[in-house]
Each structure stands twice: as structure tokens, then as C-alpha cells.
Amino acid sequence: KIASTDLTNPFMLKKVALTGKPLILSTGMSSFREVEKAVEIVRKLNPDLILLQCTGSYPTQDNDCNLLVLSEYQKKFNVLTGFSDHTPGIGAAPYSIPLGASVIEKHFTQDKSLPGPDHSSSLSPDELVGLVHQIRRVEKFMGSQSKLIAESESSTKISLQKKLVARQSLKKGNKFSWDNLSSMRCHDGISPLDHLDFLIGRKARRDYLKHEPIDPSEAFFFKKITTSNLIDIPHISGISKSVHFRYFKTRKLEVALSHKLSYILYDSCNSPCGYGHVEEDNNIYWLGIYVSNEYRGLGLGSLIMDKLTTESDKQNINLRLSVDSNNHKAIDLYKKYGFNLIEENKKILYFSR
């Protein structure tokens, strides 16, 4: 690690760069022009460089931290960045993490009253522990760049966001319109944002009472799983290398192609949102259903279950499935469709239909 005091020392920069070791260069007391020249010297000899934003005053005042310099370093030099923090206490260090800091430098001491320029603005051992905990918490706060529905908010999404409902009583065959549809907060139903435009002008598949949620079957449709749409499986599971995709790509694909009991469910925008499959193992047909997190709470599990049980009845196939004993919602769904408990193995329940 090269201290700020040597950023303008080309003799030191060259000697350290020639070691071939990764370098951390602190940039306190330096202008951007000086940083550019120092980076140029180092990179001619060694590409492994991390730049630390730093202000060489002890302690550093809040308005002198200039954390936004981190973004400039990243854009200009395409390097990893960090922050050498001389603010009192835990100070500014945690706030540098969202700006891309990969390295934090912070002085600590066993006695802040000791003589010297650093001690008063250094951390005690306990404060150092607190700094680490705070930085780890900030990392959790930052999360992912992907805007997804958090598992913790899935239940509130179901109960609080509006669903598409019939504004008045409708008969089977009536055309949906802006005048006879509306939105209300209700537990079941489909999103007006996603499906209203699709439904306008289409005929209702069944009767609806006033304020009754519009059935998912009006806006979702099935396609048999084939080699051409297998790639949609990871979009449903949300993880491209998930067990759902790997397993389907090998063993279950063969089953899906040999039996007409494996389907992907799509919404009105042609986005995959769930799948159901039947796998044969020693003349026993195992049923599996998966609904993407984004679409849970819309009754799609029931829609897939209805499709597979109807098709299995046509082919006189007896289905089996397994479920965690704590998954009461799934158990209730299976019982609704005529599945009976046949075996209990620790926390796994086995049902047959």
C-alpha cells in the first residue's frame, strides 16, 4: 500500500510497481492531474491497481470527504476503488460502499489520547468492530441491481395490490371492456396492469358476479414443453443455473417429450410464469408444479393443477406428489383436487390421486 505522501514520488511508484504485487494507492493531498500521472507511471509496469480516495487532514471534516470522486476514478481509470477515511468515529466509511468502494482503510488505536496526528481521529478496537458490522449491513442494504419482488413482500403484494374484477355482473360470452371491468384490493385475481389491454374486446369464458375477480384462465395459456421452449424454464425459476433448469434439461425433458403432461404456463404478454410436469418412475407418475415468485398469489398453482389433473384423468393416470409438511397452502390445494395422504416420511408427505 502506497501512502498519499508518496503519490508524487515517481521513484517510489516505479520501485513498488516493479514488485509485480497488487498495489493500493492512496490519493490524499493530490489533484486529479497528479493522480492521472501517478496512475500512468504505475500502469506501465503493473496493471493491478486500486485507488483510494483520501483527504489528508486529521480529522477530516464531513464536507472534505468528496466520496463522489470514487465514481470519477472508476470512469476515468476503470479500476477498483476504495476509501481511506480520517473522519472521527465510524464516520464516512460505510457511505463509500454504495459508491463502489471495494477497500476501506481506517486507522485504529488503543488510546485516542496518545500524542501524534492520527490517534484522535482513529477508532478504538470496539469502534473498529462496529465499523465492520456497519459496512456488512450496508452491503445487505445495497442488495441487487435487479428489481425483483422480495420474498418478504410477496404476501403484502397479494393482499394490497389491486386485482382485476368485474364492475358488474357478466355472462359467459360478454365482451370485456373498460366499462365492465375495474380494480379492487382482493386476495385472488390477476393484475390490471399486465392483463387489462389483453382482455379488452375478448369474450368472457364464464359468468361473473359483480366485483368478482377475473379468473386467471382468461389471461393465461399453456404450451407443451418442447426443445424449443425449454429455455423458458430458467426465466420461471429466476436462476439460470437452478436445479429446475438442469434437471429439466436432462431427465425431465425426455419425460416431457414422451408424455403429453408437461406444460409451461404463459401470461397474456407471452411471458413464462409457471410450469407443470409429470415424471414416470417405475410406472409411478410424479406430479411437479412450479410458479415464478413474481406470479405467486394469483391462483396459477390451481390453474396448472386443474390442467394436469384433467389431462391425467383423460389418460387414466394415477398421480403422486410429495410436499413439505409445513407447506399448508400446497397441502390444501392438493386435497382440493382429490389427492389423499398415503405416506409420511419425517417432514415429507406423499399424496396420491
Side-chain angles (χ1 to χ4, degrees), residues 1-45:
K1 188 262 178 177
I2 303 175
S4 298
T5 184
D6 279 311
L7 182 137
T8 56
N9 182 356
F11 302 101
M12 172 68 82
L13 295 177
K14 287 186 177 182
K15 184 158 186 170
V16 176
L18 285 169
T19 66
K21 296 179 180 180
L23 304 183
I24 298 176
L25 176 60
S26 196
T27 62
M29 306 173 292
S30 303
S31 68
F32 200 87
R33 176 187 60 81
E34 290 172 320
V35 173
E36 283 184 302
K37 294 189 73 173
V39 170
E40 182 181 1
I41 291 171
V42 171
R43 276 193 158 168
K44 285 180 179 179
L45 304 170

Side-chain angles (χ1 to χ4, degrees), residues 130-180:
L131 171 64
V132 174
H133 286 316
Q134 186 65 29
I135 288 173
R136 295 294 175 246
R137 194 176 184 204
V138 170
E139 290 172 337
K140 291 181 180 178
F141 287 155
M142 290 173 60
S144 167
Q145 290 181 329
S146 300
K147 177 55 180 169
L148 302 172
I149 299 168
E151 185 176 349
S152 60
E153 65 178 347
S154 58
S155 60
T156 51
K157 176 180 176 65
I158 294 170
S159 60
L160 296 183
Q161 285 197 335
K162 302 299 192 293
K163 307 296 194 309
L164 199 58
V165 301
R167 179 175 293 180
Q168 61 197 45
S169 296
L170 296 173
K171 294 294 184 182
K172 180 179 179 180
N174 287 161
K175 288 186 177 181
F176 292 117
S177 69
W178 282 87
D179 294 329
N180 60 27

Side-chain angles (χ1 to χ4, degrees), residues 81-139:
T81 58
F83 181 48
S84 179
D85 185 16
H86 301 142
T87 56
I90 290 177
Y95 299 96
S96 68
I97 304 300
L99 294 172
S102 302
V103 174
I104 296 294
E105 180 187 21
K106 189 80 174 179
H107 298 188
F108 75 97
T109 180
Q110 292 183 331
D111 186 351
K112 295 189 179 187
S113 65
L114 290 173
D118 291 15
H119 290 285
S120 63
S121 58
S122 298
L123 297 179
S124 69
D126 286 342
E127 287 176 324
L128 181 59
V129 172
L131 171 64
V132 174
H133 286 316
Q134 186 65 29
I135 288 173
R136 295 294 175 246
R137 194 176 184 204
V138 170
E139 290 172 337

Side-chain angles (χ1 to χ4, degrees), residues 298-321:
L298 303 181
L300 301 188
S302 297
L303 192 62
I304 298 173
M305 178 68 80
D306 187 68
K307 175 71 171 179
L308 293 182
T309 53
T310 299
E311 293 296 324
S312 65
D313 287 346
K314 292 179 181 178
Q315 299 183 36
N316 295 318
I317 292 176
N318 296 321
L319 298 176
R320 289 193 186 181
L321 54 82

